[in-house]
């Protein structure tokens, strides 16, 4: 299963899958890749102010939603072990850079913590994060 199929098959990603569909990114992330997705869980989306997700998935906000989602995707397949004991800056599909830091047995992407790492997919890998990252 590719990244989108893997996410769609996991109830913890239902909000992410809805957002990917609203942004028309499902075909792109279902493509060849490889991709690394720092995937916010439903709990991460729930931390946003009330109504934020409902607002973002409206057609009028597609560009903003797309920018947010592309901040969570990088080219290449990057396993969590790559970041152990170091800090790396990686360019996202949205053009911004995120800092990925591995220390004390955990991995952080910006201010988000990876809560579950290395969920394999046929076209990359998913790392579950506890916070939705927002563009600068």
């Amino acid at each position: 299963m590719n990244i989108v199929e893997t996410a769609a098959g996991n109830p913890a990603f239902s909000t992410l899958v809805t957002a990917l569909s609203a942004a028309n990114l499902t075909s792109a992330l279902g493509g060849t890749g490889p991709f690394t997705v720092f995937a916010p869980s439903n709990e991460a989306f729930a931390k946003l102010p009330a109504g934020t997700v409902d607002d973002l998935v409206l057609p009028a906000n597609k560009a903003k939603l797309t920018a947010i989602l592309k901040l969570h995707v990088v080219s290449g397949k990057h396993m969590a072990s790559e970041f152990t004991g170091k800090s790396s800056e990686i360019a996202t599909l949205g053009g911004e850079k995120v800092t990925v830091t591995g220390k004390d047995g955990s991995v952080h992407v910006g201010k988000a913590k990876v809560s579950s790492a290395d969920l394999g997919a046929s076209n990359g890998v998913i790392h579950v994060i506890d916070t939705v990252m927002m563009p600068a």
Side-chain angles (χ1 to χ4, degrees), residues 3 14 22 26 28 31-32 48 72 77 81-82 108 114-116 132:
I3 286 173
S14 61
T26 54
T32 305
L48 295 173
H72 293 79
K77 184 175 182 178
S81 60
E82 282 183 46
H108 288 80
V114 173
S115 58
S116 184
V132 177

Side-chain angles (χ1 to χ4, degrees), residues 42-60:
N42 291 344
E43 291 176 358
F45 279 104
K47 290 181 182 178
L48 295 173
T52 301
V53 174
D54 292 335
D55 189 52
L56 285 171
V57 298
L58 295 173

Side-chain angles (χ1 to χ4, degrees), residues 49-76:
T52 301
V53 174
D54 292 335
D55 189 52
L56 285 171
V57 298
L58 295 173
N61 295 321
K62 182 179 173 184
K64 184 176 182 181
L65 177 61
T66 300
I68 292 168
L69 294 173
K70 284 184 173 183
L71 184 62
H72 293 79
V73 182
V74 299
S75 286

Side-chain angles (χ1 to χ4, degrees), residues 76-110:
K77 184 175 182 178
H78 301 281
M79 305 305 281
S81 60
E82 282 183 46
F83 305 109
T84 302
K86 63 182 174 182
S87 183
S88 304
E89 204 172 64
I90 301 175
T92 68
L93 291 188
E96 291 192 44
K97 291 187 178 183
V98 293
T99 301
V100 184
T101 306
K103 69 177 190 176
D104 301 326
S106 64
V107 176
H108 288 80
V109 185

